[in-house]
Amino acid sequence: MNAPSSQRAPDANDRPVPSTRVSTVERYDFHRVIQSYLDDAARLVNVPDHVRVILREPKNELIVHFPVRMDSGEYRLFKGYRIQHSNILGPYKGGMRYHEHASLDDFKALGAMMTWKCALMNLPFGGAKGGIKFDPRSVSRDELSRITRRFFHALGSNIGPDYDVPAPDVGTNAQTMAWAMDTYLNTVGMVKKEAAMGVVTGKPVSSGGTVGRETATGQGVVHCIAEWARRSRFKLEGKKLIVQGFGNVGSNTAVLLAAHGVSLVAVGDHTGYLYNPEGFNVHRLKQYVAQNGSIAGYANGQKINRDEFFTVQADIFVPAALENQIGASEAEALQVKLVAEGANGPCSPEGEAVLARRGIELLPDVLANAGGVTVSYYEWVQNRRSEIWGIEEVEERLEKAMLDAYERMTQFATTHKCPNRIACYGVALQRLVQVYLDREIFP
Ligand code: GLU
């Protein structure tokens, strides 16, 4: 993650490229990449061309500018986005990302991915994504609260429990969602407060969130890895893991995999990379990051650089940071058997092609990290019904949902002889196409 994705680009010649080079190549077009997966899947499924054309673009693109008073007394103008890709299967659904490199095109890609994810998981949701272009680490807690509140105020009734339901993503968390919900409840008039809590998911459990949401994305990644291991007759006990990104997804994945006897030997985040051949104490590392905001300064690991990280001998790699991290050179360097995408879009198409050529298996994002939105759905259902579920119920449902989707992906991939990623898009597309065939185009 040393090199922000916007400064890197896929290398066409499959040659290792030092990450320190000054890049002059054009910017990674994430939205184009996601559109190309749709086009690939559409060639395998019988998709009327107008449906494919509709799904290539989002339905709504909202951009808001709003002023916020900073602690210094000065005012700063922020740019917020909400991209609503599709609501043909249900309310728009997807996270809010706070990141300094956020762009309209990235949100368009990420919003479309939510449509594929929800459709693959059989959830009654469409897809959306949004957020604010700024670095949330650069502001105080009070400023973060005011920025979040002004953003959700600006969105007004463009979101809502029956219309568009945001959730946490990179740079946001349960606290962000508590501010978001509070702002919505205080500004949009409604009668049924309880159900209106479902305007966002990923809230603190004390404020209408669900147990199991915090760990859900990591848990989903682990269910996929465990299922892959079972089907491949691969024993997880004693195996090694490397993780890029140690936020919600990366840290929970590492902790939950430790219970399967898998040890984390290298880890990286926005501050750099650490290596420990003996295996990190993941609980302690997670605690350290919760207190210090990053892995920087953690004592029980040796500093390595980004290139070294990608060459660490291990069995499983979980990218859990940003998109476009595994280009051809990283894919060429990796010494693992499996890549499970905890992040959205971490492999570029060039990187994925190299992984395939080298026989490294891939569990794609739309399946692997879908545990988060799946448990978001459970939270939304509980809010609607004024229910509070226990952890066993959430965990049991999530495991079944992940394994069912895994099977749908495998069936499609086997039938159509295509990569797992295209199979996920294919399954999702079949579901969406059927709805378009039933409902047709208005008027
Ligand atoms: N941001 C997460 C994702 O990319 C979760 C979305 C949600 O829970 O709605 O899947």
Side-chain angles (χ1 to χ4, degrees):
M1 267 187 69
N2 285 350
S5 56
S6 57
Q7 289 173 15
R8 292 180 51 255
D11 187 280
N13 333 316
D14 283 7
R15 264 185 293 108
V17 176
S19 59
T20 44
R21 75 174 173 166
V22 179
S23 178
T24 49
V25 273
E26 77 276 16
R27 153 177 196 285
Y28 184 63
D29 197 338
F30 193 18
H31 186 223
R32 270 270 177 80
V33 168
I34 298 301
Q35 285 177 324
S36 74
Y37 298 146
L38 162 63
D39 292 342
D40 288 352
R43 279 189 273 276
L44 303 174
V45 176
N46 202 359
V47 185
D49 206 48
H50 69 276
V51 173
R52 188 185 60 84
V53 170
I54 292 169
L55 290 170
R56 278 173 67 85
E57 299 296 336
K59 206 158 165 189
N60 303 316
E61 301 178 18
L62 296 162
I63 299 182
V64 292
H65 290 99
F66 52 95
V68 176
R69 184 176 38 81
M70 306 308 281
D71 292 345
S72 65
E74 281 169 342
Y75 289 89
R76 192 171 145 194
L77 194 70
F78 288 83
K79 196 186 194 80
Y81 302 83
R82 187 65 178 170
I83 303 304
Q84 298 169 329
H85 177 260
S86 168
N87 64 349
I88 193 110
L89 295 177
Y92 298 111
K93 185 82 193 82
M96 286 294 199
R97 174 175 293 201
Y98 292 176
H99 195 276
E100 60 274 31
H101 296 302
S103 74
L104 176 66
D105 262 21
D106 291 348
F107 285 130
K108 281 162 76 171
L110 292 161
M113 284 187 71
M114 289 307 301
T115 300
W116 314 124
K117 215 183 282 189
C118 293
L120 170 70
M121 296 308 291
N122 255 335
L123 304 176
F125 284 140
K129 197 73 136 209
I132 312 174
K133 185 178 169 59
F134 83 114
D135 175 8
R137 295 172 215 276
S138 68
V139 302
S140 71
R141 188 180 187 277
D142 281 353
E143 288 172 332
L144 202 53
S145 164
R146 288 198 294 276
I147 293 164
T148 300
R149 288 174 182 281
R150 274 302 300 244
F151 176 42
F152 279 83
H153 178 263
L155 290 174
S157 48
N158 287 301
I159 60 163
D162 296 313
Y163 183 63
D164 181 355
V165 184
D169 196 81
V170 173
T172 57
N173 57 23
Q175 177 61 68
T176 324
M177 293 305 118
W179 290 324
M181 176 188 72
D182 188 67
T183 303
Y184 183 81
L185 292 180
N186 276 296
T187 50
V188 179
M190 85 277 302
V191 264
K192 234 179 138 215
K193 286 251 179 198
E194 188 86 347
M197 286 178 121
V199 62
V200 290
T201 58
K203 302 178 290 288
V205 176
S206 48
S207 292
T210 181
V211 287
R213 177 61 185 86
E214 191 81 25
T215 51
T217 312
Q219 183 66 75
V221 174
V222 173
H223 284 317
C224 288
I225 293 174
E227 182 60 10
W228 170 84
R230 192 184 68 77
R231 290 176 185 233
S232 330
R233 298 197 170 76
F234 181 87
K235 214 168 124 275
L236 285 178
E237 178 76 42
K239 295 300 191 300
K240 291 178 181 165
L241 168 74
I242 61 173
V243 172
Q244 188 199 35
F246 210 69
N248 173 284
V249 183
S251 65
N252 284 306
T253 301
V255 166
L256 292 163
L257 271 180
H260 288 264
V262 177
S263 62
L264 179 73
V265 293
V267 60
D269 70 5
H270 62 286
T271 61
Y273 293 84
L274 293 175
Y275 175 57
N276 184 342
E278 306 303 319
F280 289 94
N281 179 329
V282 283
H283 299 273
R284 218 176 282 158
L285 182 60
K286 189 178 172 204
Q287 218 172 354
Y288 179 89
V289 171
Q291 279 159 8
N292 299 279
S294 74
I295 62 170
Y298 187 70
N300 296 322
Q302 177 195 330
K303 269 195 201 166
I304 53 172
N305 65 30
R306 188 177 187 277
D307 291 347
E308 289 165 335
F309 171 81
F310 280 99
T311 61
V312 169
Q313 189 75 45
D315 301 281
I316 302 165
F317 172 37
V318 176
L322 292 176
E323 57 274 7
N324 188 27
Q325 292 299 308
I326 304 139
S329 59
E330 290 84 0
E332 206 67 71
L334 278 171
Q335 301 299 322
V336 296
K337 293 187 178 60
L338 175 71
V339 175
E341 295 184 329
N344 287 315
C347 292
S348 73
E350 292 75 9
E352 185 169 346
V354 173
L355 293 180
R357 173 171 56 66
R358 296 187 57 219
I360 298 175
E361 292 194 52
L362 182 78
L363 293 173
D365 43 17
V366 280
L367 172 74
N369 71 36
V373 70
T374 302
V375 177
S376 275
Y377 167 60
Y378 304 156
E379 179 174 332
W380 182 79
V381 169
Q382 290 173 65
N383 292 154
R384 276 181 108 72
R385 298 188 190 159
S386 300
E387 288 180 359
I388 297 176
W389 298 0
I391 188 70
E392 300 79 16
E393 175 149 17
V394 171
E395 284 185 345
E396 235 169 73
R397 282 179 188 251
L398 174 62
E399 179 168 15
K400 183 168 184 329
M402 294 306 303
L403 298 188
D404 287 354
Y406 196 112
E407 176 59 22
R408 285 194 285 277
M409 170 187 79
T410 308
Q411 290 248 342
F412 190 102
T414 313
T415 310
H416 296 275
K417 298 189 177 42
C418 68
N420 281 341
R421 187 187 312 282
I422 303 307
C424 289
Y425 279 66
V427 173
L429 205 47
Q430 281 174 332
R431 203 177 149 211
L432 283 148
V433 165
Q434 189 53 51
V435 180
Y436 276 102
L437 292 177
D438 296 343
R439 291 171 54 171
E440 301 172 357
I441 305 294
F442 180 82

